[in-house]
Every structure is written in structure tokens, then in C-alpha cells.
Amino acid sequence: MLSKKLNIVPAWRFYREDGELLDPVLFVLLAGLLETGKLTQAASRAGVSYRHAWNLLNRAEAFFGMSLVEMRRGHGTKLSPLGEKLLWAEQRVRARLGPQIDSMASELNHQLQQLLDGAHPVLRLHASHGYAVALLPDFPGELDLRYCTSREALEALRRDECDLASLHLPVDPGLAEQVMAVYRPWLSGQNLSVIRFVTRRQGLMLRHEDHDRIRSMADLMRGDIRFIQRNERSGTRMLFDLLLAEQGIDDAELPDARHEEFTHTAVAAYVAAGMADAGFGVEAAATQFGLDFVPLTTEHYLLICHTDRLAQDNLQALLGYMASKRFLAGVDALNGYAPDRCGEVMTLEALLAENAAGPA
């Protein structure tokens, strides 16, 4: 067995025509400065000396011909407009490419494990990107996690290309039935079981300075609000469109909402960079980027499998891990997430009936 799993991390490389290269640790330094305003603390977080940190900033100033920081006597150090642009661009790239890179890393780890140990059972999970599902690869077994939309995951489950697929379903019974109307063609004609996992809050993400002018879905219709959409085939986009319809709003009427991002983190990074005033996604993404959050709805994030797969040893191990104190503590640490009887198995019909009945 591989003692440690391999990770793939994207890195920016800035070159000049003369071949000069900026040290990528510069972005860690900029992130530390944004958060603390103190070069000493930022240097410590970046794992470099205070002197080396100053050298990096001076080299960057010479490289770009502009300063990346502004010194404020008695008030520490802040990023210049150029420093902010560079940092947000780097974070947007990580947020946008993260799921694809994580999927590639999972595939590579799976291939290496099979090469080293020979063919052996691997639990295959196709899931929409989320903060809680990202904790599952830590379970005591081998999990091949591929990120995709819920529709793609259910298609893969139907074709027996995975053992588990994700599905997020609103807690609200009316919304849940509308979502089920879309997904039923991928679920029908199969003996499927539902594995309870987590609930998560979805809502509007916005910068603190916009807190007073964006408080509801209706505010998005004002001509001065720039909105960043999720990709059209995502479950979160479906949920957002249903919430709009409840307010009598056609998504085509949203001003300046043509651009799309593929993950919650990418939407949050886009808003944090000032490229949009608001986006829709999970609360954990808003927290990650220091954004305000307006909760609008809660949904179940579920795992679906063929019932006959429940007896597999590796799937039973995953169910046990989902109910463990370690995993539940990880979920509790995520803003807007809550354990949802993790690892409990039931039918989809029973879940829908329970939703319709409301809280006990």
C-alpha cells in the first residue's frame, strides 16, 4: 500500500523574456499579508524569513514595475491593487481547477495502488464537488473519488461505472419533488438504496460592503447587481433556478449573469475578487473566502448505490467511517454543514415521505 497518497497542486509561474522566474511562495506571502496585515506573520506562514520575504516583494516590484504592497505607518502592510489582483487570480485558478485536479490525483493514486498491490477492490464514488464529500477519501480503504455533476454521477451509476453516486435533494418537500422530476429518469428501473450523509445550507454569497443592499433574491433583479452563475447542468444551478421561479423570476431576466463557474469555491473566489457582487452556493465556500452569507435553503447531500452493493466490505467500511467521531467532527467544523444521520441506509421513497411529513 502507498504510505501516503499523492496530491497534485496547480502553481503559477511568472517568467520574463530574460528567463527570470518569480518564486511561487510569493502567493502564500500575499495571502498572509491580506489576512494579517503584518509581514512578520505572513513570512512565518510562508515558511520564509522576514528578510527573505522583503526580498521576494522587492523582486516582484522590479519584475512588474509596480509595488505589490503598501506600507502604512503604524497600521502594518496591505496589498496594493496589483497585489490583490494577483492573489485573487491565483485563488480563482485553484478554485476553478481544484475538482478536476483532485479527480486526476484520485485516478493516479488508484492506478499506482493497483500497480503496487495488484488488482484489488476499490470503492468508486462519482460526486458533485463539496466540502463534506472531500473528507471521505480519509476512510480506512481505497476510494476513487471523481468529481462531476449529479446527472453525470447518476448516469455513471446506471452504467455500473461507479459504486456510489451523489444526489442533493432540498429539504423543502415542494422543491424536492421538482428536483426528483428531473432525476427520476436516471433512477427508475433500478434497485437503489440511499445512504444518509449531510445537510448543507445554500444561499447568496457577497462581500461585507454589499450586506445592506443584497438581502434577498429580489435584490438580484436590480440593474446594479453583478451576479455570477453556476454551470447550467449542476444541481446547485437547478436549485437556484427553482428558487427564482418561486419568486416569479425568470433566470433569463437576471442582469449580467452570463458568466458561469463550475464549483462553489470558484463562485466565492469570483465574488471575493470583486468581479461580481453576488453568487449562489454553500455557506462553507463563503466562509473560506471571508464573504457574508444570506441563507436561502437547506438540502440533503446523499449517496446512492445499488442495494446489492451494500454487502461489500469496503462499502461497509465507508458507512462505519461516516458514523465515526472523527468524520462527524470534520463535518461539524464546516460552516453550514451538519451530519444527517451519516451512514444510515434507507430507500429514496422513505426519505421523500419523511421530508413531506416534516420535523418529528
Side-chain angles (χ1 to χ4, degrees):
M1 294 285 290
L2 283 173
S3 59
K4 292 185 179 180
K5 294 182 179 179
L6 305 178
N7 294 306
I8 303 173
V9 179
W12 285 56
R13 293 289 188 271
F14 282 94
Y15 293 92
R16 288 198 313 203
E17 291 182 358
D18 60 7
E20 184 177 356
L21 170 68
L22 274 184
D23 189 336
V25 78
L26 174 68
F27 290 104
V28 183
L29 191 63
L30 293 177
L33 280 171
L34 179 68
E35 185 171 343
T36 69
K38 297 183 181 299
L39 186 57
T40 51
Q41 294 184 31
S44 177
R45 292 187 180 193
V48 299
S49 68
Y50 181 83
R51 180 177 180 181
H52 184 55
W54 263 121
N55 288 337
L56 281 175
L57 293 174
N58 289 331
R59 281 191 61 201
E61 181 174 354
F63 187 94
F64 289 105
M66 294 178 63
S67 177
L68 273 64
V69 298
E70 297 174 357
M71 300 295 296
R72 303 170 297 172
R73 185 178 296 275
H75 294 87
T77 305
K78 65 173 290 188
L79 299 187
S80 70
L82 174 60
E84 289 185 348
K85 288 289 185 185
L86 288 175
L87 178 59
W88 289 126
E90 191 263 352
Q91 293 192 356
R92 283 177 51 229
V93 167
R94 286 179 177 269
R96 183 178 293 177
L97 299 181
Q100 294 95 324
I101 291 174
D102 289 345
S103 293
M104 291 174 62
S106 181
E107 181 179 356
L108 175 60
N109 279 299
H110 165 58
Q111 291 173 346
L112 291 176
Q113 200 71 66
Q114 297 285 62
L115 181 64
L116 293 172
D117 295 343
H120 59 278
V122 174
L123 199 58
R124 303 164 300 168
L125 169 59
H126 288 202
S128 59
H129 190 258
Y131 288 74
V133 75
L135 302 176
L136 289 180
D138 290 335
F139 98 107
E142 188 176 343
L143 183 70
D144 185 13
L145 172 59
R146 310 288 177 91
Y147 288 119
C148 57
T149 67
S150 289
R151 297 186 199 189
E152 291 167 340
L154 293 175
E155 287 173 357
L157 184 67
R158 193 175 186 88
R159 295 193 300 264
D160 201 27
E161 295 174 357
C162 64
D163 302 295
L164 294 160
S166 72
L167 174 66
H168 29 110
L169 199 63
V171 171
D172 178 87
L175 291 175
E177 187 51 47
Q178 293 181 76
V179 170
M180 283 302 301
V182 174
Y183 287 134
R184 276 199 176 94
W186 285 278
L187 297 167
S188 62
Q190 304 176 81
N191 184 15
L192 300 174
S193 291
V194 170
I195 300 171
R196 300 286 289 259
F197 188 35
V198 295
T199 59
R200 61 184 191 179
R201 282 195 296 267
Q202 296 237 45
L204 299 178
M205 298 183 280
L206 52 142
R207 294 184 306 282
H208 183 68
E209 56 264 34
D210 292 319
H211 180 83
D212 292 332
R213 71 186 187 114
I214 305 175
R215 301 304 303 153
S216 68
M217 302 280 279
D219 291 329
L220 302 179
M221 297 304 297
R222 301 209 318 260
D224 62 338
I225 304 296
R226 300 167 299 159
F227 187 77
I228 173 66
Q229 281 278 29
R230 276 295 304 276
N231 52 306
E232 190 172 3
R233 286 176 59 86
S234 69
T236 292
R237 173 65 176 274
M238 183 197 309
L239 177 60
F240 177 71
D241 288 346
L242 290 174
L243 291 173
L244 282 179
E246 279 193 334
Q247 300 292 317
I249 303 172
D250 187 332
D251 66 330
E253 299 173 1
L254 277 179
D256 195 26
R258 292 166 292 178
H259 190 77
E260 298 179 352
E261 287 288 358
F262 284 81
T263 68
H264 298 277
T265 49
V267 169
Y270 202 89
V271 174
M275 301 178 69
D277 300 308
F280 182 78
V282 296
E283 185 174 356
T287 300
Q288 180 182 346
F289 287 88
L291 299 173
D292 281 6
F293 182 76
V294 180
L296 295 176
T297 190
T298 300
E299 62 181 1
H300 300 282
Y301 190 112
L302 307 163
L303 302 181
I304 310 290
C305 71
H306 290 105
T307 301
D308 59 5
R309 299 292 174 86
L310 288 170
Q312 292 180 187
D313 290 341
N314 53 6
L315 206 155
Q316 284 296 314
L318 180 66
L319 296 183
Y321 177 69
M322 289 167 62
S324 69
K325 290 183 179 180
R326 176 186 175 189
F327 179 75
L328 296 177
V331 173
D332 284 334
L334 299 172
N335 276 11
Y337 278 81
D340 185 28
R341 289 150 55 180
C342 290
E344 182 177 324
V345 178
M346 64 193 314
T347 65
L348 193 54
E349 292 73 17
L351 176 69
L352 292 171
E354 186 178 297
N355 259 14

